[in-house]
Amino acid sequence: MEMVRSHILVCAGTGCTSSRSPEILEALEKELAQQGLDKEVRVVKTGCFGLCALGPIMVVYPEGAFYSMVTPDDVPEIVSEHILKGRIVTRLLYQETVVDDSTIKNLNHTKFYEKQLRVALRNCGVINPEKIEEYIALDGYEALGRVLTSMQPQEVIDVVKASGLRGRGGAGFPTGMKWQFAMQSAGDIKYVCCNADEGDPGAFMDRSVLEGDPHVVLEAMTIAGYAIGAHQGYIYVRAEYPIAIHRLEIAIAQAREMGFLGENIFESGFDFDIELRLGSGAFVCGEETALMTSIEGNRGEPRYRPPFPAVKGLFGKPTILNNVETYANIPQIFIKGAEWFSSMGTETSKGTKVFCLVGKITNTGLVEIPMGTTLREIIEEIGGGIPNGKKFKAAQTGGPSGGCIPAALIDTHIDYENLTAIGAMMGSGGLIVMDEDTCMVDIARYFLDFTVDESCGKCVPCRIGTKRLLEMLDKIVEGKGTVEMLDEMQELCNHIKDNSLCALGQTAPNPVLSTLRYFKDEYMAHVVDKKCPAGVCKDLLSYSIIAEKCKGCTACARVCPVGAISGVVKEPHTIDTDKCIKCGACIEKCKFDAIVKV
């Protein structure tokens, strides 16, 4: 292999791609060639590094210089100064890694990374996902080789059981138990499916794994196929993930070419292949039976259970379905052992969990933490706290199906049982942070609006119940709600949970129930005082100018789109509330904090 003196890793995940990382890669190749360095320096296109708030990201080794928010215009300086002359460009570094002008800190010792433990994400930001050789160099397909050449199917399942791995896509059902049920089900034809159809707002965990380490999913699915006696696998991935799809297609072709998919894998006599199926963005197809119905070519609607998919699933045959993150843990369990995996996490929630940290947080991005890490550690340390000096108000986990965790419970240890106990859920791993400017009633309405839109309409409790619930919330944010309506909402939520056909309907009321539980005072303010404490619900707001602070600069009047502000120069102005459309343009323009929401 050709020896090089330096590697330059550039993130080519969706986030950084949208911020021009392909142009950075192109500029790098061009600049290195012009400087005669193209034979000495290798450029590696990687997946997500995790710290999405600072993308595009470039890391130069062996120094480990972590350059953030790089632009194509920065490339000549990085090449000429760092690569050619050995002088790190300090101004472009992730500032937490800077010790002084000549010394930089290891990334693992920064607040964002030091409490993380990468298992599912271990190769993301490390290898080129489009080169199978790089995956193999980091123990890729070693687990599959061990399984096919030295283990019986029941032994494979016993290892997964012993690890304590639970499904990372929803309620956390034990993975080994699911595989056991499918193996014991009678049938010559069985299937292995991968749910890569994450549809939660603000979630990109599975997408990042597929973009940064697609082979780990292929290897894990093949192991699962051997364990249950299946010879065909399907990855159901949403069509809105073009980069993930492209890299999966490359990975599948490479695995087939090298004999890791297809016939007689590792000369074991075991055959297994994988195909892609593209989803069209229906949130309900994240539910396992709806997903299988969609793969079969029908409208994505859930089925009645039992029978469960392990007995009668895809095309009526025994089937297992796990999500991307669940599979991403499998190869490492067989390389490092079940005890290694079960040593991480808590007594009932083993291993790590990947979260998408988004919302009102300084360090937005992708994080992987041991189960049992507190919400405070995630928000204040890994996430860097709430920006602009605001206070943490709540965190929403589990996507539209999850619940809101109030600031009073910030020391909750994150695992399946703890989240369920406080009215939230793990879900696939979305973690939306909210500050004091967030209206919790509006948040509940937002998520319910999403689930109403995404309901397949098959069952009445979900189709009609969520719609009626949304209508009540609409009235409350419009100032037309009543105290009695809150009791009606509670009753309706419980009815929907108890009677809906699938998990979408059963969990749809969670945002409403959790906000009613922890933020009842905000609901009361909306229905009794007809006020929105956070100043978000427009129908409950009015704008006013504080005469003592107004300097009469006319800036607000000039920016008002409807001419609702009047007054003369150097004299206090006034707002005509009948004309005001509450757009907020005047508040943003005022330099004297003279305009307030009341």
Side-chain angles (χ1 to χ4, degrees):
M1 179 180 285
E2 185 182 73
M3 299 297 292
V4 295
R5 67 178 177 86
S6 185
H7 285 79
I8 303 177
L9 278 58
V10 180
C11 174
T14 292
C16 286
T17 295
S18 67
S19 300
R20 304 174 65 192
S21 69
E23 295 177 46
I24 292 170
L25 285 161
E26 184 179 345
L28 261 177
E29 300 282 5
K30 180 180 178 182
E31 193 67 26
L32 289 169
Q34 287 179 349
Q35 297 286 355
L37 298 168
D38 51 319
K39 303 298 184 184
E40 301 177 41
V41 179
R42 179 170 294 134
V43 177
V44 182
K45 178 173 66 174
T46 75
C48 180
F49 287 91
L51 195 48
C52 303
L54 297 181
I57 289 170
M58 176 193 298
V59 182
V60 181
Y61 288 103
E63 298 84 358
F66 190 95
Y67 292 119
S68 61
M69 302 183 77
V70 179
T71 70
D73 294 337
D74 294 322
V75 170
E77 182 180 1
I78 292 173
V79 172
S80 64
E81 289 296 307
H82 187 159
I83 306 301
L84 193 60
K85 301 173 185 176
R87 297 193 294 233
I88 294 174
V89 186
T90 310
R91 72 174 184 85
L92 293 174
L93 290 175
Y94 170 33
Q95 287 305 299
E96 197 176 328
T97 66
V98 178
V99 177
D100 54 45
D101 289 340
S102 60
T103 311
I104 58 175
K105 187 189 300 183
N106 185 292
L107 263 184
N108 292 328
H109 297 149
T110 62
K111 286 186 177 180
F112 183 77
Y113 288 103
E114 66 182 353
K115 289 202 171 183
Q116 292 194 50
L117 184 58
R118 291 196 154 203
V119 178
L121 299 178
R122 72 185 187 96
N123 287 333
C124 294
V126 177
I127 66 172
N128 184 336
E130 296 181 12
K131 293 187 176 181
I132 191 172
E133 295 84 1
E134 295 196 16
Y135 179 69
I136 293 172
L138 295 180
D139 303 326
Y141 290 107
E142 180 181 335
L144 178 61
R146 291 185 186 183
V147 164
L148 295 186
T149 59
S150 65
M151 299 179 72
Q152 295 298 313
Q154 186 60 57
E155 292 178 289
V156 174
I157 293 174
D158 289 342
V159 169
V160 178
K161 283 182 176 180
S163 73
L165 176 65
R166 297 171 64 174
R168 299 300 197 245
F173 190 81
T175 303
M177 191 178 297
K178 180 182 288 189
W179 292 17
Q180 184 76 65
F181 290 154
M183 187 196 76
Q184 293 173 342
S185 294
D188 295 331
I189 299 176
K190 298 180 182 180
Y191 295 102
V192 173
C193 292
C194 175
N195 182 352
D197 191 59
E198 61 184 354
D200 296 2
F204 48 92
M205 300 78 59
D206 291 351
R207 185 195 74 198
S208 296
V209 173
L210 295 177
E211 291 177 351
D213 194 17
H215 284 284
V216 74
V217 176
L218 307 186
E219 182 177 12
M221 290 179 67
T222 308
I223 291 172
Y226 175 72
I228 72 166
H231 301 287
Q232 179 64 50
Y234 292 96
I235 301 176
Y236 188 85
V237 56
R238 55 181 41 227
E240 294 95 332
Y241 283 178
I243 296 176
I245 293 168
H246 175 66
R247 291 179 185 162
L248 277 171
E249 290 172 339
I250 291 173
I252 290 172
Q254 291 175 339
R256 285 172 180 161
E257 184 178 354
M258 297 194 76
F260 299 127
L261 286 177
E263 298 179 355
N264 197 25
I265 303 171
F266 281 102
E267 298 184 354
S268 65
F270 175 66
D271 305 337
F272 190 79
D273 207 351
I274 295 173
E275 295 180 19
L276 299 184
R277 290 293 184 269
L278 306 188
S280 57
F283 182 65
V284 73
C285 286
E287 194 276 336
E288 59 180 2
T289 61
L291 182 152
M292 294 174 195
T293 303
S294 181
I295 290 178
E296 293 168 355
N298 300 312
R299 186 173 186 266
E301 292 181 340
R303 303 168 180 166
Y304 290 97
R305 299 181 303 175
F308 291 93
V311 176
K312 184 178 180 182
L314 185 65
F315 302 114
K317 305 298 183 180
T319 305
I320 58 169
L321 173 74
N322 294 113
N323 81 328
V324 171
E325 186 186 343
T326 308
Y327 283 125
N329 286 285
I330 293 293
Q332 286 296 292
I333 289 173
F334 285 92
I335 290 174
K336 295 184 178 180
E339 289 184 5
W340 163 80
F341 188 84
S342 64
S343 70
M344 299 178 286
T346 66
E347 184 63 29
T348 57
S349 298
K350 305 296 186 180
T352 62
K353 182 71 190 79
V354 180
F355 285 99
C356 284
L357 193 56
V358 296
K360 303 295 183 66
I361 192 75
T362 300
N363 297 329
T364 58
L366 196 67
V367 304
E368 184 171 2
I369 49 97
M371 292 280 197
T373 302
T374 66
L375 183 60
R376 183 186 296 276
E377 290 175 290
I378 297 173
I379 291 172
E380 296 183 356
E381 298 181 40
I382 297 173
I386 313 300
N388 305 316
K390 299 290 185 177
K391 294 179 181 179
F392 169 66
K393 186 173 187 177
Q396 207 268 356
T397 63
S401 303
C404 294
I405 306 171
L409 297 177
I410 193 172
D411 290 309
T412 297
H413 292 268
I414 301 298
D415 65 19
Y416 292 102
E417 282 71 28
N418 282 336
L419 289 181
T420 301
I422 62 175
M425 63 181 291
M426 187 78 73
S428 56
L431 181 57
I432 302 173
V433 180
M434 292 164 270
D435 66 13
E436 59 193 277
D437 293 334
T438 304
C439 172
M440 302 310 296
V441 181
D442 184 64
I443 283 292
R445 192 205 62 79
Y446 168 80
F447 282 115
L448 191 63
D449 181 61
F450 178 87
T451 51
V452 167
D453 190 55
E454 293 293 337
S455 172
C456 73
K458 185 172 183 177
C459 72
V460 172
C462 181
R463 182 180 73 243
I464 304 299
T466 55
K467 181 66 174 175
R468 297 290 85 84
L469 195 57
L470 179 61
E471 289 170 356
M472 292 182 188
L473 284 169
D474 284 337
K475 288 181 180 180
I476 290 172
V477 299
E478 292 168 1
K480 301 174 184 176
T482 64
V483 174
E484 293 74 23
M485 192 176 288
L486 302 184
D487 293 331
E488 293 172 9
M489 286 171 55
Q490 183 87 37
E491 183 180 352
L492 181 54
C493 283
N494 293 331
H495 181 81
I496 296 170
K497 284 175 68 72
D498 294 340
N499 295 283
S500 291
L501 172 61
C502 80
L504 185 148
Q506 292 161 10
T507 59
N510 282 348
V512 180
L513 287 170
S514 63
T515 50
L516 278 170
R517 178 179 178 181
Y518 296 116
F519 300 95
K520 187 70 171 287
D521 58 329
E522 287 200 33
Y523 279 93
M524 294 301 290
H526 281 68
V527 300
V528 177
D529 303 327
K530 307 301 180 185
K531 297 288 184 182
C532 176
V536 172
C537 302
K538 287 186 176 182
D539 289 308
L540 301 180
L541 294 179
S542 62
Y543 286 66
S544 178
I545 295 177
I546 302 172
E548 292 78 10
K549 289 187 176 182
C550 181
K551 306 299 182 183
C553 69
T554 75
C556 58
R558 283 183 275 118
V559 78
C560 180
V562 293
I565 302 176
S566 60
V568 298
V569 179
K570 296 184 179 180
E571 294 289 337
H573 285 42
T574 60
I575 298 177
D576 185 338
T577 54
D578 291 332
K579 288 184 178 180
C580 178
I581 60 172
K582 306 165 187 175
C583 65
C586 56
I587 289 183
E588 293 178 9
K589 197 70 175 178
C590 182
K591 298 178 180 179
F592 308 103
D593 295 324
I595 305 176
V596 294
K597 298 176 183 178
V598 293

